[in-house]
Amino acid sequence: MRKGIILAGGTGSRLFPMTQVVSKQLLPVYDKPMIYYPISTLMQAGIREILLICRPVDLPLFRALLQDGTQWGISLQYAEQSEPNGLAEALIIAEDFLDGGPSALILGDNLFHGDSLTPLLAQTCAIEPSAALSGATVFAYHVSNPQDYGVISFDKSGRALSIEEKPVKPQSKYAMLGLYFFDNRASDFAKQITPSGRGELEIVDLVNMYLSSNALNVNILGRGTAWLDTGTPDALAEATQFISAIEKRQGLKINCPEEVAYRLGLIDDAQLRELAKPLLNSGYGEYLLGLLQTSH
C-alpha cells in the first residue's frame, strides 16, 4: 500500500512574528489546525499510514495534538527535519518508513478542496504490486502569479515539457502543487540530487528526474478545484475566509478528519461520539454528533 508523507518543517519566516514560537502548520485555518487539511487529503486518497516530518522543537506539539492517529483509524508516525534542507529531503528521511514502497508527499501548508478531487486522488493513489515502477504524478493549477511557483510548461498535445522553479519568465501559468505521488524509486532519486544555490534539495529536481525518463504524469486541476497556499499572512487570511464562507453556506466542514474517518468506515458511531465529547463547547463537537443523525 502507498504510504503518505506530510512535510511540516521549515521556520515559516514569511509569517513572522506569528510563527516565531510555533509551527505554521499548527496555526488555525478557520475552525481547524492547518495540519488537519493535508491529513484529511491523504485519508481521502486512501492512505492509512502517514509519516509527519517536522522540526524537533515542534514534534511534541504535533504529537500532543494528533497522537498516533488511531482515533481516526489511521497510523501516524513522526520524524525530524533538523534544518530546512529542501522538500526532496523528505523522501530521504522517510526511506525506512516507506520500506521500498510507493509514496504520496504533501506539504503541510497546502489546502485542497473540490468535488472531483477525492476520486482523482483515490485513482492516482491506487497501485498494483506489479506496478511499483509506475513513475510519478504531479498536479498543475492555473495561477495568476506563476513566477512564485514551480512552473510546468506543456506542448500542443498537453504533454509536460519542463518544470522550472520560480522562473523570471514563466513558460506557462500552470503551477505545480504541493502534492506528489511517487513510485518506489523516489528515495533513491532524492539521494542523487545536488543541493541548489540556496543549499536545498529541490523537489523540482526530483520531479524532473521522472520527466527526463518519460515517467511523469501531470494532472491539471480544473476551475472547480480550490488550491490554497497558506505561506503568507494574506494567503492565510484568504484561506480562512474561503473555508469559512463554504462551511457557513453549506453547513458542511471541509477536510474534517473525524468526518472523513467516519464516512470511510474507519471509525464507528461510538468512536465518533467519543471524539465529539471534548469538542462540544466550540460547536465542532455538535457538528460531529450531527453526522450520527444524518448518516442514519
Side-chain angles (χ1 to χ4, degrees), residues 11 84 163 185 189 243 250 256 275 277 281:
T11 60
I163 305 175
R185 297 174 289 177
F189 281 174
I243 299 297
Q250 295 185 330
C256 167
L275 290 175
K277 284 182 180 179
N281 285 343

Side-chain angles (χ1 to χ4, degrees), residues 91-288:
L91 278 305
I92 299 175
I93 295 172
E95 184 175 20
D96 290 342
F97 168 75
L98 296 176
D99 193 26
S103 61
L105 169 64
I106 187 170
L107 305 187
D109 61 355
N110 276 220
L111 281 59
F112 299 89
H113 175 64
D115 186 54
S116 62
L117 186 62
T118 297
L120 174 61
L121 294 180
Q123 181 182 12
T124 305
C125 183
I127 186 169
E128 296 294 332
S130 60
L133 300 179
S134 58
T137 298
V138 298
F139 300 86
Y141 194 81
H142 195 278
V143 296
S144 59
N145 54 333
Q147 65 277 4
D148 293 336
Y149 304 100
V151 174
I152 306 175
S153 62
F154 302 88
D155 62 18
K156 293 182 179 180
S157 67
R159 185 175 64 90
L161 289 176
S162 66
I163 305 175
E164 298 180 88
E165 179 67 22
K166 298 181 180 178
V168 177
K169 296 182 179 180
Q171 299 299 307
S172 82
K173 287 195 172 183
Y174 283 96
M176 182 171 66
L177 311 189
L179 175 61
Y180 319 86
F181 288 80
F182 296 113
D183 63 16
N184 61 357
R185 297 174 289 177
S187 296
D188 288 335
F189 281 174
K191 294 176 184 178
Q192 300 173 33
I193 297 174
T194 301
S196 65
R198 56 181 185 171
E200 296 188 5
L201 302 182
E202 304 289 353
I203 195 69
V204 167
D205 292 339
L206 175 59
V207 175
N208 271 324
M209 295 176 76
Y210 283 94
L211 178 61
S212 63
S213 60
N214 296 316
L216 179 68
N217 178 57
V218 179
N219 283 329
I220 297 177
L221 299 184
R223 300 188 183 191
T225 302
W227 168 55
L228 306 171
D229 180 0
T230 57
T232 67
D234 283 343
L236 181 59
E238 290 167 2
T240 291
Q241 291 166 3
F242 175 84
I243 299 297
S244 172
I246 298 297
E247 290 193 357
K248 288 178 181 177
R249 171 69 69 175
Q250 295 185 330
L252 300 170
K253 291 197 178 298
I254 294 174
N255 286 339
C256 167
E258 295 90 349
E259 179 177 10
V260 173
Y262 183 63
R263 295 198 181 280
L264 290 176
L266 303 179
I267 60 175
D268 59 23
D269 289 10
Q271 290 169 300
L272 183 63
R273 191 173 288 107
E274 284 301 310
L275 290 175
K277 284 182 180 179
L279 307 173
L280 292 176
N281 285 343
S282 67
Y284 194 100
E286 291 289 350
Y287 175 80
L288 298 182

Side-chain angles (χ1 to χ4, degrees), residues 74-97:
I74 62 174
S75 169
L76 269 174
Q77 299 182 40
Y78 300 87
E80 299 177 355
Q81 185 185 43
S82 299
E83 300 292 336
N85 295 322
L87 308 186
E89 188 186 38
L91 278 305
I92 299 175
I93 295 172
E95 184 175 20
D96 290 342
F97 168 75

